[in-house]
């Protein structure tokens, strides 16, 4: 099946540091979604991007929809301990069903207080 | 309810047994989705319900898996003759707009097949 490649697979940072992670694919996406999953919980939507080149912020989070429509990145500024979790990029592949999301394998973020 | 509710939160069963997992979506959400998340992976699409009918079941791995939503609200995912490879977290999600890609997920049901 189609794949989303997320990098890095894991990150270990100090509280207060900025974080950057990205997602790439060989397929074109019409929408990029960034989710966060805490242990024992389902993914929670952080940011949705709908247009190539779009840059969107949600508090300390900023995400961009790549110009080629094959990539996206997520930045977290001034990290805090509650940022710990797994971050997934996801989206429906262009030409596919809008509700059928493809997820990456996730980036595990650990924040050291 | 306020969120998507899934029961049980954990289920341990033996190989070959039958299992049912329940999902209660957000009140008023007509669209319901099941995804499966294996260890170390992102969720994978299983099935999409619009109302009572399965609009797309192309993600179900084989005919041991079946899901129903008889009254257009609560859904049950049924797995027959469970295998060890079925062990995963089964996530349910719902959306207000049918076929939308902005989904609200439940906490999942963790299935372990021994």
């Amino acid at each position: 099946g189609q794949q989303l490649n997320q990098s890095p697979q894991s990150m270990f940072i100090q509280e207060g540091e900025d974080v950057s992670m990205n997602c790439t694919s060989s397929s074109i996406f019409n929408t990029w979604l960034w989710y966060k999953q805490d242990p024992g919980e389902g993914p929670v939507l952080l940011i949705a991007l709908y247009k190539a080149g779009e840059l969107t912020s949600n508090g300390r989070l900023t995400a961009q929809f790549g110009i080629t429509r094959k990539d996206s990145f997520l930045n977290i500024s001034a990290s805090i301990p509650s940022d710990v979790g797994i971050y997934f990029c996801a989206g429906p592949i262009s030409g596919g069903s809008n509700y059928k999301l493809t997820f990456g394998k996730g980036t595990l973020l650990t924040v050291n207080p | 309810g306020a969120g998507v509710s899934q029961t049980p939160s954990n289920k341990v069963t033996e190989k070959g047994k039958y299992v049912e997992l329940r999902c209660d979506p957000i009140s008023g959400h007509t669209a319901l989705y099941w995804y499966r998340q294996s260890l170390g992976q992102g969720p994978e699409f299983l099935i999409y319900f619009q109302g009572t009918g399965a609009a797309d079941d192309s993600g179900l791995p084989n005919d041991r898996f079946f899901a129903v939503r008889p009254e257009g609200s609560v859904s049950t995912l049924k797995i027959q003759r469970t295998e060890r490879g079925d062990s995963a977290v089964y996530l349910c999600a719902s959306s207000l707009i049918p076929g939308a890609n902005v989904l609200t997920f439940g906490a999942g049901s963790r299935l372990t097949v021994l």
Side-chain angles (χ1 to χ4, degrees), chain B residues 40-113:
Chain B
Q41 305 293 318
E44 293 180 316
F45 172 81
L46 294 178
I47 187 169
Y48 158 52
F49 284 91
Q50 174 48 40
T52 60
D56 184 345
D57 64 357
S58 62
L60 295 178
N62 52 60
D63 61 7
R64 295 186 298 105
F65 289 75
F66 189 72
V68 296
R69 195 186 184 201
E71 297 178 359
S73 179
V74 171
S75 175
T76 304
L77 178 65
K78 307 180 180 192
I79 310 173
Q80 298 178 319
R81 304 183 304 280
T82 52
E83 300 178 357
R84 292 193 179 89
D86 298 336
S87 297
V89 175
Y90 290 82
L91 294 165
C92 178
S94 67
S95 67
L96 180 61
I97 300 172
N101 53 40
V102 178
L103 309 181
T104 301
F105 284 88
S109 292
R110 180 177 296 277
L111 175 65
T112 303
V113 182

Side-chain angles (χ1 to χ4, degrees), chain A residues 29-111:
Chain A
F29 282 73
N30 291 327
T31 301
W32 282 97
L33 306 168
W34 284 93
Y35 282 87
K36 180 184 180 231
Q37 186 172 30
D38 292 331
E41 301 294 328
V44 174
L45 183 66
L46 300 173
I47 290 180
L49 302 159
Y50 298 104
K51 189 177 175 182
E54 179 181 354
L55 184 71
T56 296
S57 293
N58 177 9
R60 293 179 296 106
L61 279 59
T62 301
Q64 185 158 29
F65 193 140
I67 293 292
T68 65
R69 296 167 64 194
K70 293 183 178 182
D71 64 336
S72 177
F73 72 74
L74 175 71
N75 287 344
I76 305 172
S77 63
S79 58
I80 58 179
S82 63
D83 290 334
V84 165
I86 302 176
Y87 291 79
F88 290 100
C89 61
I93 293 174
S94 177
S97 301
N98 196 44
Y99 53 81
K100 195 179 291 184
L101 301 182
T102 297
F103 281 78
K105 291 188 176 183
T107 292
L108 173 62
L109 177 64
T110 304
V111 179

